Amino acid sequence: QKEVEQNSGPLSVPEGAIASLNCTYSDRGSQSFFWYRQYSGKSPELIMSIYSNGDKEDGRFTAQLNKASQYVSLLIRDSQPSDSATYLCAVKGNTGKLIFGQGTTLQVKP
Amino acid sequence: GAGVSQTPSNKVTEKGKYVELRCDPISGHTALYWYRQSLGQGPEFLIYFQGTGAADDSGLPNDRFFAVRPEGSVSTLKIQRTERGDSAVYLCASSYSGRGDEQFFGPGTRLTVL
């Protein structure tokens, strides 16, 4: 079992729809959770961090964390073609390193 | 302010050669991380520095890989006797302190070993 799992996709949504990206993790001691966006040929860009159970909203993005289910998700409202990218889920335990999933490719079609 | 910078942006070398990759973190960030990313995969942790010392080097694949951060700022990742399997994008990230903080990535160095 991988430590952090994501569906590789592609996830295709029409412009203006809600995109829902999901991630599960295996280490119950994980404390910090992050979503990065990565455009093709570029490096990961941090878009959301979440540390406690529940929802965290930032503009069109909402991160959701459920530690009991070891599940974290990212919702993108009013999806735009410019949101088309790979979204990486990353989990940090009690050490400094991040453990990444393989990423989910999102395609937003005009 | 300036973000994380990495040099070179691209490096092509021959099998068996030695390479050095450099990372300059965000000013004031005490923690620095190296990851590598292969096509279609998420970044894979290599090593983490807190100040000048390596706090966790558990991700270094073998003893051909070594990293230093002598003054607690710039870091150099060194790869000896390069192999074709070392070809990847090497990413550097920094954070303000360490354990809980958000990490910000540099643009990466694409290493190609022929």
Side-chain angles (χ1 to χ4, degrees), chain A residues 3-53:
Chain A
E3 293 184 73
V4 179
E5 295 207 47
Q6 296 180 257
N7 187 321
S8 62
L11 172 66
S12 183
V13 301
E15 183 175 356
I18 296 175
S20 177
L21 304 157
N22 305 313
C23 172
T24 58
Y25 60 94
S26 61
D27 183 0
R28 284 197 172 274
S30 300
Q31 299 176 353
S32 308
F33 307 85
F34 306 89
W35 283 99
Y36 286 83
R37 177 174 63 198
Q38 187 171 29
Y39 292 113
S40 181
K42 300 296 186 182
S43 64
E45 172 193 8
L46 180 67
I47 53 172
M48 289 288 285
S49 58
I50 187 165
Y51 304 97
S52 55
N53 281 329

Side-chain angles (χ1 to χ4, degrees), chain A residues 2 32 34 36 38 41-44 46 49 51 56 88 92-98 100-102, chain B residues 33 35 37 40-43 45 48 56 58 91 98-108 110:
Chain A
K2 291 183 182 177
S32 308
F34 306 89
Y36 286 83
Q38 187 171 29
K42 300 296 186 182
S43 64
L46 180 67
S49 58
Y51 304 97
K56 179 182 178 183
L88 296 161
K92 184 187 289 188
N94 57 5
T95 63
K97 66 184 180 185
L98 292 176
F100 284 86
Q102 70 176 84
Chain B
Y33 312 79
Y35 297 84
Q37 187 175 25
Q41 302 298 315
F45 171 77
Y48 152 43
D56 182 354
S58 62
L91 295 164
R99 295 190 168 188
D101 287 351
E102 299 169 337
Q103 296 181 21
F104 299 93
F105 282 83
R110 181 175 298 278

